[in-house]
Amino acid sequence: MLIPCPHCGLRPSEEFTPKGLAEAPRPVIGGADLPEDATWQDYLHTRTNRAGDTDEYFHHALGCRSWVVVHRNTLTHEVYGATMASEFWAQKNQQPEQETGQ
Amino acid sequence: MADRYGFWRLLREGLRGHTGWGPAWRDPAPKAEYDVIIIGGGGHGLATAYYLAKVHGITNVAVLEKGYLGGGNVGRNTTIVRSNYLHTGNELFYEKSLQLWEGLSADLDYNVMFSPRSIINCFHTDGQRDAEARRGNQMILHGADAVLLDKEGVRREAPLIDVDNPRFPIYGGLMQRRAGTARHDAVAWGFARGADQRGVDLIQNCEVTGIDIEDGRVTGVQTSRGPIRAKKVGMAVAGSTSRVGALAGLRLPIESHVLQAFVTEGIKPMLHNVITFGAGHFYISQSDKGGLVFGASLDGYNTYAQRGNLPLIEHVMEAGVSFVPAMSKVRLLRSWGGVMDMSPDGSPIIDKTPIDGLYLNAGWCYGGFKATPGSGWCFSHLIADKPTHHIEQLRLDRFKTGYVIDELGAGAQHNLH
Ligand SMILES: Cc1cc2nc3c(=O)[nH]c(=O)nc-3n(C[C@H](O)[C@H](O)[C@H](O)COP(=O)(O)OP(=O)(O)OC[C@H]3O[C@@H](n4cnc5c(N)ncnc54)[C@H](O)[C@@H]3O)c2cc1C
Ligand SMILES: [Zn+2]
């Protein structure tokens, strides 16, 4: 697989460390209220784990060391693109994505 | 039972030119209703049906398989059977499973070729030795067997292992003598035949496409061969857990990852144990046909494709040749992959779901082959409302309560286990 890192361009997947599916944003810590247990549990453990189009965290460990979210297909291994993880949730919240398949 | 396999049967069929064997199980059409439906005709689904019929007398049971029996992970694993776990939640369960393996061929009247040839987990540092000694003690406390070998002990057991490797010298190994390998297909076929003989309907080419729920209670399933009603439904679909769970509206703690495995051309006996490298993830054994069978870790990314990528293959070969230098002379025949249902702590789940009458068997990661009899045993007890203590910690809610069973201490990340 080749992954298009937003910084480094098209790089082989073995330069990256996969972290898991990006299905929910990290709960915000700080302020008076801690996140609900259920929110943490969902963020850490539970996944829709769709077969098909997914978003997944990768760390460009042997490159620029950025965290990126890779948009790819888990049935065909096709890679559509990648976004900086720091920008991913902001972008996603602007244009909520359609549920695709199961 | 009329249809027993054995010496006299073989002799009789031999004299009759092998004309009297017949199919090992029926190919029934689905009935309109069953007491219990098991989704998934892999090792766990078939074992569950077998024990439901044999132990609990529940025989109005169907196993629904979307492809053919044993075509999933049960037919594509490296067949290692062991009970060398650190944590009580796992060791209770896997030791029960190993005890069932020890009598399985006789119980099933089917030679599953269980070969207790031992497993040795090598260690390469003082810290690893301490961890392995602790694990061995835990195993013994749970009634399993364990021996701590020193370096010469490893050399004696497996002379072709490079114990003097200058980069990763081997200090010793944790050995479980009762561990070993079995013939994967025979396990699926043995349970299938045993279940069928006791009246279970094994229905192939029957994909479950919906799970019917009324007032929070399961009432049946929709399938590619029509709707079927059921009082209880058990899911045992391994790599497809999230997809089948979604049919009942469940969002589960599972990611799907690929694990690859490899086999070489057949060679003379060179390795009589299962042995693992502790300085990288690599495990190897030799099949009865002579091929070296080995594997390592997940590719790491999420996938539902039953194939991996080349970088991991290169990594596995490097680890293999560092560990068993003689391997470099052997030709690789095949590699393949299977989809793993990875849980966030690397341990399985056998539990009820929030939906009445719907049961979950999942999270097998890459250790579910050894679990086959134990999983079927415990899942059948749960479905028959007689849950056993072996699964008291394999709960679905443990991720909420915090009682996770994290063997590796790797934290809540599915692909690290
Ligand atoms: C390469 C590899 C090596 C492994 N090595 C080992 C090892 O050495 N030791 C060990 O203990 N474990 C090992 N494992 C893990 C082990 O194989 C699995 O954990 C175990 O087989 C899973 O249980 P199963 O046999 O029931 O799964 P499967 O055989 O995968 O059965 C699940 C079945 O469900 C069916 N199904 C899915 N969706 C539906 C649907 N909608 N409707 C109807 N049916 C459906 C599938 O077709 C499949 O047949 C390995 C796995 C792989 C891939
Ligand atoms: Zn980069």
Side-chain angles (χ1 to χ4, degrees):
Chain A
M1 279 194 301
L2 293 172
I3 293 176
C5 174
H7 269 152
C8 314
L10 211 55
R11 304 298 306 167
S13 65
E14 55 267 44
E15 290 183 1
F16 296 77
T17 308
K19 166 85 165 74
L21 294 170
E23 291 191 359
R26 192 174 204 280
V28 182
I29 319 179
D33 300 323
L34 283 172
E36 295 281 325
D37 281 357
T39 313
W40 272 115
Q41 132 78 359
D42 198 57
Y43 165 73
L44 281 172
H45 302 116
T46 359
R47 305 284 185 263
T48 302
N49 190 21
R50 266 195 297 265
D53 293 352
T54 49
D55 301 315
E56 192 171 3
Y57 289 113
F58 281 77
H59 182 224
H60 196 183
L62 302 180
C64 64
R65 310 194 63 189
S66 300
W67 281 96
V68 299
V69 173
V70 180
H71 319 298
R72 44 185 293 273
N73 188 307
T74 53
L75 285 167
T76 62
H77 290 174
E78 187 182 350
V79 177
Y80 307 124
T83 314
M84 295 299 292
S86 51
E87 291 156 20
F88 174 71
W89 289 107
Q91 282 182 16
K92 191 153 174 128
N93 291 341
Q94 272 164 24
Q95 21 161 274
E97 204 193 317
Q98 296 278 305
E99 288 274 302
T100 44
Q102 41 163 330
Chain B
M1 224 163 287
D3 210 26
R4 281 191 74 83
Y5 290 160
F7 176 73
W8 294 113
R9 181 84 196 281
L10 191 62
L11 185 70
R12 195 183 67 185
E13 293 302 335
L15 294 172
R16 299 197 308 186
H18 293 286
T19 50
W21 287 109
W25 52 80
R26 298 164 296 132
D27 185 21
K31 291 194 273 189
E33 177 162 11
Y34 291 93
D35 291 339
V36 180
I37 281 178
I38 304 295
I39 311 176
H44 294 210
L46 294 166
T48 304
Y50 172 76
Y51 290 119
L52 272 174
K54 185 184 165 193
V55 179
H56 305 286
I58 302 174
T59 55
N60 186 21
V61 175
V63 177
L64 308 183
E65 165 54 50
K66 76 173 172 191
Y68 60 93
L69 296 182
N73 286 343
V74 70
R76 50 177 71 229
N77 66 81
T78 47
T79 79
I80 301 168
V81 174
R82 57 189 172 90
S83 70
N84 54 359
Y85 285 80
L86 175 68
H87 289 300
T88 301
N90 279 328
E91 188 61 10
L92 267 180
F93 169 76
Y94 283 108
E95 176 55 22
K96 170 68 186 172
S97 195
L98 184 56
Q99 287 173 14
L100 289 168
W101 275 107
E102 287 169 334
L104 196 60
S105 291
D107 185 43
L108 292 176
D109 177 38
Y110 203 102
N111 187 1
V112 300
M113 295 168 73
F114 175 55
S115 157
R117 57 181 65 188
S118 85
I119 187 167
I120 302 171
N121 300 130
C122 294
F123 48 79
H124 310 256
T125 63
D126 289 335
Q128 274 187 324
R129 180 196 282 122
D130 290 349
E132 295 295 23
R134 177 177 173 221
R135 186 152 65 106
N137 285 331
Q138 274 286 87
M139 291 161 62
I140 291 166
L141 284 173
H142 286 90
D145 65 305
V147 190
L148 202 65
L149 301 179
D150 61 8
K151 174 175 166 174
E152 291 314 313
V154 175
R155 200 198 303 275
R156 200 167 51 241
E157 283 291 338
L160 287 174
I161 301 294
D162 182 15
V163 292
D164 297 315
N165 182 317
R167 178 68 183 85
F168 301 112
I170 291 174
Y171 285 22
L174 181 68
M175 182 177 198
Q176 183 177 34
R177 291 193 196 277
R178 287 161 59 240
T181 58
R183 169 96 170 90
H184 46 12
D185 294 327
V187 176
W189 297 335
F191 276 118
R193 176 167 165 273
D196 173 87
Q197 282 175 341
R198 287 167 179 80
V200 171
D201 282 358
L202 308 176
I203 300 167
Q204 308 185 58
N205 297 313
C206 183
E207 177 171 0
V208 171
T209 53
I211 296 179
D212 301 331
I213 298 161
E214 277 168 35
D215 302 328
R217 190 173 173 91
V218 77
T219 56
V221 296
Q222 300 292 322
T223 80
S224 55
R225 297 178 68 173
I228 310 176
R229 288 193 306 280
K231 299 190 182 72
K232 292 179 176 179
V233 175
M235 295 184 269
V237 291
S240 301
T241 295
S242 300
R243 305 173 82 179
V244 175
L247 301 176
L250 299 174
R251 207 170 103 89
L252 296 167
I254 301 288
E255 285 190 5
S256 293
H257 288 265
V258 65
L259 181 69
Q260 303 194 59
F262 308 85
V263 67
T264 69
E265 59 189 329
I267 52 174
K268 287 185 179 172
M270 65 170 272
L271 190 68
H272 68 269
N273 343 69
V274 178
I275 187 154
T276 73
F277 188 38
H281 195 189
F282 179 84
Y283 46 88
I284 184 166
S285 65
Q286 187 169 17
S287 79
D288 294 340
K289 282 192 284 187
L292 298 176
V293 180
F294 54 94
S297 22
L298 303 173
D299 277 40
Y301 46 82
N302 272 270
T303 174
Y304 279 94
Q306 287 185 333
R307 61 173 193 281
N309 270 296
L310 289 171
L312 201 274
I313 297 183
E314 187 179 14
H315 169 82
V316 175
M317 300 308 146
E318 285 167 357
V321 172
S322 330
F323 189 42
V324 195
M327 251 184 78
S328 64
K329 302 269 191 288
V330 189
R331 273 170 298 228
L332 189 68
L333 273 194
R334 277 193 307 279
S335 73
W336 65 93
V339 181
M340 323 273 53
D341 39 334
M342 298 302 298
S343 66
D345 61 356
S347 298
I349 300 158
I350 301 183
D351 204 352
K352 298 178 177 176
T353 68
I355 296 154
D356 274 348
L358 184 65
Y359 300 81
L360 178 67
N361 174 313
W364 294 103
C365 302
Y366 37 80
F369 178 68
K370 72 175 97 69
T372 306
S375 166
W377 176 272
C378 295
F379 202 38
S380 74
H381 276 73
L382 183 70
I383 293 171
D385 291 325
K386 292 170 189 150
T388 70
H389 67 288
H390 308 103
I391 54 166
E392 68 192 8
Q393 292 190 29
L394 306 184
R395 304 274 306 263
L396 175 58
D397 69 0
R398 67 177 183 265
F399 306 102
K400 218 171 272 173
T401 58
Y403 291 106
V404 294
I405 316 169
D406 187 345
E407 280 293 319
L408 295 181
Q413 189 178 326
H414 303 70
N415 66 359
L416 290 184
H417 294 281

